[in-house]
């Protein structure tokens, strides 16, 4: 399956891009996607464990299942308000 | 009513959105761009958002606040892009029949917003240098809604 990963704030600075398509073997969870991201973007790997993940605009834990076409967002600590 | 705006915010619009003849209390909170934080000086702040998710989270916070504090109405607007020192970055307006719920509800909304809405802030220093400034409320690795 392919998921589209969005990067924001510091995460986008680490990766040098705002989005990237990642191929995962089916079935896959958020944890699998985190591992793939750390492998593809070594600059992101150090901070990634402290970042949240959202799938299709909802926060998702590491055991959440992913589906082909999902939008996965890498969310560094937020600063709004 | 939740909104993300790339232009100046209007506190009066938010007030008008929550005014009701059934209410005896309205609270509006305006968060403004501060010049000094710790030892740092900023000339402006710059906000970025994951817009569709930020709007969803803001709308969820409004629904939760209305239920939790029995508010009559609630409006949240957050500005994106550059915000000069002294300008308004966020407005939260609530109304309720009595004042305690309105005061507590507005404070709760701000805490939730700072904890879970995917918006990020840069402080821009007088020399143009930009640093990311996360909110202090978010504990690392905690998943707010799962």
């Amino acid at each position: 399956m392919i998921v589209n990963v969005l990067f924001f704030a510091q995460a986008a600075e680490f990766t040098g891009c705002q989005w990237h398509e990642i191929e995962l073997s089916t079935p896959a969870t958020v944890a699998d996607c985190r591992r793939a991201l750390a492998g593809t973007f070594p600059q992101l790997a150090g901070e990634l464990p402290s970042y949240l993940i959202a799938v299709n605009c909802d926060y998702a834990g590491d055991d959440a299942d992913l589906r082909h076409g999902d939008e996965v967002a890498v969310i560094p600590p937020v600063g709004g308000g | 009513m939740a909104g993300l705006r790339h232009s100046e915010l209007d506190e009066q619009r938010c007030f008008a959105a929550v005014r009701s003849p059934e209410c005896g209390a309205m609270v509006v909170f305006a968060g403004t761009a501060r010049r000094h934080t710790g030892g740092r000086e900023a000339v402006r702040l710059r906000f970025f958002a994951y817009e569709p998710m930020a709007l969803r989270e803001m709308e969820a916070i409004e629904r939760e606040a209305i239920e939790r504090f029995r508010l009559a109405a609630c409006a949240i607007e957050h500005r994106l892009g550059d915000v000069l020192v002294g300008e308004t970055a966020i407005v939260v307006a609530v109304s309720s029949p009595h004042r305690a719920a309105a005061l507590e509800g507005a404070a709760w909304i701000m805490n939730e917003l700072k904890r879970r809405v995917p918006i990020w802030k840069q402080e821009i220093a007088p020399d143009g240098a930009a640093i990311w400034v996360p909110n202090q409320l978010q504990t690392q690795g905690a998943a707010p809604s799962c």
Side-chain angles (χ1 to χ4, degrees):
Chain A
M1 74 172 78
I2 291 175
V3 296
N4 190 31
V5 183
L6 308 182
F7 304 104
F8 295 95
Q10 302 100 310
E13 291 184 351
F14 285 130
T15 61
C17 60
Q18 295 188 307
W19 61 273
H20 184 82
E21 287 186 343
I22 289 263
E23 185 156 10
L24 302 167
S25 49
T26 307
T29 63
V30 165
D32 297 322
C33 187
R34 282 183 181 272
R35 276 190 286 277
L37 285 171
T40 305
F41 299 103
Q43 323 88 296
L44 183 69
E47 292 296 327
L48 188 57
S50 68
Y51 292 171
L52 299 177
I53 297 290
V55 178
N56 301 328
C57 288
D58 280 319
Y59 286 109
D62 282 354
D63 57 353
D65 292 324
L66 294 177
R67 291 187 178 80
H68 178 77
D70 277 347
E71 182 172 279
V72 176
V74 176
I75 313 245
V78 299
Chain B
M1 183 189 92
L4 297 167
R5 292 182 181 271
H6 291 266
S7 53
E8 281 197 62
L9 298 183
D10 181 350
E11 291 88 346
Q12 290 301 325
R13 177 178 56 222
C14 295
F15 242 143
V18 301
R19 185 180 290 276
S20 158
E22 300 307 317
C23 289
M26 299 203 303
V27 168
V28 63
F29 171 83
T32 54
R34 181 176 56 233
R35 189 185 310 278
H36 291 101
T37 297
R40 299 189 306 271
E41 180 179 353
V43 290
R44 61 185 192 275
L45 306 179
R46 185 175 293 151
F47 290 93
F48 303 82
Y50 178 18
E51 293 196 27
M53 182 175 171
L55 274 174
R56 275 177 59 149
E57 288 291 322
M58 289 160 71
E59 287 164 357
I61 289 168
E62 287 185 342
R63 286 194 302 273
E64 290 169 35
I66 286 168
E67 185 175 344
R68 179 182 283 244
F69 297 94
R70 306 252 179 251
L71 301 177
C74 179
I76 307 172
E77 289 196 357
H78 203 299
R79 189 166 166 192
L80 300 179
D82 282 15
V83 180
L84 298 177
V85 161
E87 291 182 345
T88 301
I90 181 164
V91 178
V92 170
V94 303
S95 59
S96 64
H98 301 285
R99 71 181 183 281
L103 289 163
E104 290 169 18
W108 182 87
I109 287 167
M110 278 305 301
N111 285 337
E112 286 298 297
L113 192 132
K114 282 181 168 281
R115 191 173 71 84
R116 64 192 241 205
V117 176
I119 294 176
W120 298 271
K121 176 174 69 181
Q122 282 184 325
E123 279 180 19
I124 315 297
D127 66 1
I131 59 164
W132 295 103
V133 183
N135 291 331
Q136 298 302 312
L137 292 171
Q138 184 172 10
T139 53
Q140 287 199 334
S145 64
C146 60

